[in-house]
Amino acid sequence: MNRRRDELAPPGLSAGALTDRVSATVLGTRPPRAWWLALGLATLLSLLFLVGVVYVLSVGVGAFGLNIPVAWGFPIINTIWWIGIAHAGTLISAVLWLTRQDWRASISRSAEAMAMFAIVLAGSYPLLHLGRPQFAYFLLPYPNLMDLWPQWRSPLVWDFFAIASYLLFTASFLFLSLLPDLASLRDRARHRAVQLFYGVLALGWRNSARHWHRYQQAHRVLAVIAVPIVVSVTGTISLDLAVSIVPGFHFTIFPPYFVAGALYSGFATVAIIAIVLRALFGFRDLITRAHLNRLGIMMLCFVLVVDYAYLQEVFTAFYTGEDFYRSVYYDRWTGPYAPFYWGMILCNVVLAQGLWFRRLRESVPGLLCLAVIAEIGMWLERFQIVITSPHKDYMPSAWDTVTPSAWDWLTYAGSIGVFVVLLLLFIKLMPAISMHDMREMLHRRKQREADHG
């Protein structure tokens, strides 16, 4: 076994050299050409989202491929997909910090940024799905003269509070994590304007013992709060479906099922971002194959839970003895949307078994392919839940199929472009790797080496 393959950072790397190197990616004069190329392509893709949003706001939600009885289409599919990615980002960073996992140091910042941008995109789709987003404030429980209060039984109200609370928490968690690194950028900046920019954001951080003590306390509190917030918000989103009586929606397994799916897709997204950082900025010695291996192991753990949930869904449907629940699965297996169901099984059950092999987990092309397959599989899962369940309900006279329109695909592809643009701009303006977490990890490693002689 090659010991260097298991290292989380180069043995001879010092804290000062690490800080200088990561700071240089932000304070350097020009980013690499690959960054510019990726930003250009992502910007062009994000323009599709802008065009789609403008068109939908102009003509209404009829632009989407919605038709009774399927009243929820791509907007809700994409909301659940983006929320899953967002929730996993914060939970990854918080849980790994609480358990003092050294390997989180290189990936925590990208996970937190991923969560922030994904929840913004997740919140945009319900507003589009309203049809009249200018009246979105009706969802707020604000005092008014007409005694208009939200309909608390509406999933839209639940989604608003879930997404809004998570957005506030994610922004706070990310900004707190950035504070020590913002001060490092402030002290290393050469231009006065750059010093002022990072100095204002650093909020007077002076690296004192008092600052670190308060930082550790605040970080610990937010990390502890992160776990129930993420689980409750993901559970709330799953209840949008589970509280209904529609066969295919009405499953009590949905809350843990959605949490496991969110963590699976979230770890897959972090793996993709880690591989991109290795390629763009040459962080191969900071994001090592040991990190890729651990990300692959976490993906494997949660995809097994997802696979169990698939089996449990089918068992429950047939164990109840209700013809309506059985017909849902007969339709998913052989009906008009069967390719989506079997595509989900192929991605999340068959191909995901490649994560058992360490050689694939440590291979950059191998893990990248498995992570992309995971994202596709989890999107197909959301599609088959949201679309195939209501299109054949209790009334045969209401049965119908829906076909996604070009605007459905346009806004979905464009939202990925917006996410990539925000992420690329973030890693140019802020440290892509948490410098203070890496310094702490190096310090703990030196202590262990000293203790072992």
Side-chain angles (χ1 to χ4, degrees):
M1 180 66 66
N2 186 356
R3 185 176 181 274
R4 290 294 299 276
R5 186 175 64 178
D6 294 327
E7 291 287 353
L8 297 178
L13 184 65
S14 66
L18 166 73
T19 303
D20 291 338
R21 183 176 174 189
V22 177
S23 298
T25 62
V26 179
L27 302 175
T29 54
R30 292 181 60 85
R33 292 183 179 179
W35 183 90
W36 285 108
L37 178 61
L39 182 64
L41 294 176
T43 302
L44 292 177
L45 191 60
S46 64
L47 291 177
L48 299 179
F49 182 74
L50 179 61
V51 171
V53 169
V54 171
Y55 182 78
V56 170
L57 295 181
S58 301
V59 304
V61 292
F64 294 128
L66 300 175
N67 192 16
I68 300 300
V70 181
W72 290 352
F74 264 47
I76 304 304
I77 295 171
N78 296 335
T79 297
I80 300 174
W81 189 71
W82 281 116
I83 283 178
I85 293 175
H87 289 354
T90 303
L91 194 62
I92 289 168
S93 182
V95 172
L96 295 182
W97 186 87
L98 289 172
T99 55
R100 292 295 187 268
Q101 298 294 318
D102 284 345
W103 64 277
R104 70 170 289 277
S106 296
I107 64 170
S108 60
R109 182 61 47 73
S110 57
E112 293 159 5
M114 172 193 79
M116 180 68 192
F117 302 139
I119 197 63
V120 170
L121 290 170
S124 65
Y125 278 105
L127 295 179
L128 287 176
H129 195 262
L130 287 175
R132 295 181 177 180
Q134 67 272 23
F135 298 127
Y137 63 90
F138 283 176
L139 300 175
L140 294 171
Y142 65 98
N144 60 89
L145 299 177
M146 299 178 65
D147 291 332
L148 293 175
W149 290 95
Q151 173 53 270
W152 296 106
R153 290 177 293 180
S154 170
L156 278 175
V157 177
W158 307 347
D159 292 348
F160 171 80
F161 283 98
I163 293 174
S165 61
Y166 189 73
L167 176 61
L168 179 62
F169 173 82
T170 304
S172 303
F173 195 83
L174 175 60
F175 182 71
L176 180 67
S177 174
L178 280 168
L179 272 180
D181 289 354
L182 291 171
S184 297
L185 295 176
R186 175 200 62 200
D187 297 338
R188 282 166 172 75
R190 297 182 179 180
H191 301 286
R192 183 59 178 169
V194 179
Q195 291 175 349
L196 288 174
F197 174 73
Y198 290 111
V200 171
L201 292 178
L203 300 180
W205 180 275
R206 288 294 180 267
N207 206 33
S208 65
R210 182 194 300 177
H211 286 182
W212 276 111
H213 176 68
R214 292 177 176 174
Y215 171 83
Q216 292 289 344
Q217 284 184 322
H219 204 175
R220 185 179 298 107
V221 169
L222 288 180
V224 171
I225 294 175
V227 178
I229 281 185
V230 170
V231 173
S232 62
V233 170
T234 308
T236 299
I237 300 302
S238 69
L239 290 178
D240 292 353
L241 310 174
V243 297
S244 69
I245 61 172
V246 176
F249 283 175
H250 192 60
F251 283 114
T252 56
I253 198 176
F254 267 13
Y257 171 19
F258 274 47
V259 171
L263 291 172
Y264 175 48
S265 60
F267 274 106
T269 308
V270 173
I272 294 173
I273 296 173
I275 291 171
V276 170
L277 287 176
R278 282 167 55 96
L280 285 181
F281 299 103
F283 287 153
R284 293 176 179 84
D285 54 344
L286 301 181
I287 304 175
T288 65
R289 294 184 183 274
H291 293 92
L292 302 184
N293 177 50
R294 285 166 171 80
L295 288 170
I297 290 174
M298 299 307 297
M299 288 173 59
L300 176 63
C301 291
F302 290 108
V303 77
L304 292 178
V305 178
V306 171
D307 294 346
Y308 171 77
Y310 293 162
L311 182 62
Q312 186 67 23
E313 272 191 307
V314 177
F315 172 79
T316 303
F318 283 84
Y319 183 75
T320 58
E322 294 189 23
D323 292 335
F324 297 105
Y325 280 83
R326 293 177 182 178
S327 66
V328 168
Y329 284 90
Y330 290 141
D331 180 70
R332 288 180 179 178
W333 295 339
T334 62
Y337 299 110
F340 291 91
Y341 180 86
W342 294 114
M344 177 195 74
I345 296 298
L346 176 65
C347 292
N348 293 345
V349 178
V350 180
L351 298 179
Q353 303 310 311
L355 292 166
W356 284 100
F357 303 99
R358 179 166 183 166
R359 190 178 297 274
L360 272 178
R361 295 196 305 265
E362 292 186 344
S363 167
V364 173
L367 185 62
L368 180 61
C369 290
L370 290 173
V372 172
I373 288 171
E375 300 292 1
I376 296 173
M378 293 310 298
W379 188 88
L380 290 174
E381 175 197 294
R382 270 63 172 189
F383 181 93
Q384 65 92 17
I385 290 176
V386 173
I387 299 294
T388 63
S389 299
H391 96 100
K392 291 183 67 174
D393 57 6
Y394 294 102
M395 297 291 293
S397 59
W399 291 358
D400 201 354
T401 58
V402 298
T403 302
S405 68
W407 300 105
D408 284 312
W409 294 108
L410 206 64
T411 54
Y412 173 58
S415 67
I416 298 176
V418 173
F419 177 79
V420 175
V421 167
L422 293 174
L423 194 62
L424 289 173
L425 293 176
F426 177 84
I427 64 178
K428 185 62 185 74
L429 294 174
M430 301 294 169
I433 294 179
S434 177
M435 294 184 286
H436 66 280
D437 281 339
M438 285 293 292
R439 290 194 297 264
E440 184 179 354
M441 185 268 290
L442 293 174
H443 177 68
R444 285 198 298 266
R445 186 173 70 177
K446 289 181 179 179
Q447 283 186 328
R448 287 194 297 266
E449 292 175 354
D451 293 341
H452 288 83

